[in-house]
C-alpha cells in the first residue's frame, strides 16, 4: 500500500472494523484475516489489536474471554449499542465525504474537457 493509502486507512479503519463486527463477533486474528481477505493485505496484526483495545476502552464493544485450544483464552469482540451508534455515525460521515469527493472528481473532469 502506498503512503497516501496508509494515511487514509488510519482514519477509516475503526469504522471498517466496526462494520465487520456488525456482521458477527470475532477475535483479533479473525478480524485481521477478514481484512486481508477483503484486500487490506498490508494491515499488521498489531494495528488491529491496538484498535481493538481503543474501541474496548471507549465502550463500543463487549468482550468475552473464550477458551482457546492453544494458549490463553481469546477475547471475542461483539458490537454493542454504543458501537452500532458509532458505526451509524461513521457511515453518515463516510457518505457525506464520499459524495463531496465524488463531486470534486466530476467537477475536475468536467472542467478538463471544457
Amino acid at each position: 500500500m502506498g503512503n497516501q493509502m496508509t494515511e487514509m486507512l488510519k482514519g477509516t479503519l475503526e469504522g471498517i472494523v466496526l462494520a465487520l463486527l456488525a456482521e458477527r463477533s470475532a477475535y483479533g486474528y479473525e478480524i485481521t484475516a477478514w481484512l486481508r481477505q477483503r484486500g487490506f493485505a498490508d494491515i499488521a496484526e498489531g494495528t488491529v489489536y491496538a484498535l481493538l483495545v481503543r474501541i474496548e476502552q471507549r465502550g463500543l464493544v463487549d468482550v468475552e474471554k473464550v477458551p482457546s485450544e492453544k494458549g490463553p483464552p481469546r477475547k471475542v469482540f461483539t458490537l454493542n449499542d454504543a458501537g452500532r451508534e458509532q458505526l451509524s455515525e461513521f457511515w453518515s460521515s463516510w457518505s457525506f465525504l464520499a459524495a463531496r469527493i465524488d463531486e470534486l472528481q466530476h467537477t475536475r473532469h468536467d472542467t478538463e474537457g471544457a
Side-chain angles (χ1 to χ4, degrees):
M1 242 184 292
N3 191 43
Q4 188 173 27
M5 178 67 83
T6 300
E7 290 302 312
M8 292 173 111
L9 189 56
K10 283 181 187 177
T12 58
L13 187 57
E14 179 181 298
I16 294 166
V17 169
L18 293 177
L20 291 173
L21 290 173
E23 293 177 13
R24 67 172 251 215
S25 300
Y27 58 94
Y29 182 78
E30 282 181 309
I31 294 167
T32 302
W34 290 348
L35 289 167
R36 290 178 178 161
Q37 289 169 358
R38 287 177 165 91
F40 300 103
D42 294 340
I43 290 186
E45 273 184 67
T47 301
V48 174
Y49 285 108
L51 173 70
L52 290 170
V53 167
R54 285 194 306 275
I55 65 175
E56 179 182 3
Q57 289 173 341
R58 289 177 47 218
L60 303 178
V61 292
D62 295 327
V63 179
E64 180 183 0
K65 289 192 177 188
V66 176
S68 172
E69 294 172 10
K70 319 174 216 172
R74 291 183 174 148
K75 289 174 86 172
V76 175
F77 298 86
T78 302
L79 197 63
N80 60 24
D81 289 341
R84 279 187 277 284
E85 187 175 314
Q86 184 69 22
L87 179 59
S88 178
E89 289 177 25
F90 170 78
W91 286 130
S92 294
S93 298
W94 180 262
S95 295
F96 174 83
L97 288 171
R100 301 299 84 74
I101 291 168
D102 192 49
E103 285 175 12
L104 286 170
Q105 184 179 25
H106 284 81
T107 301
R108 185 181 62 100
H109 287 300
D110 292 345
T111 58
E112 286 175 354

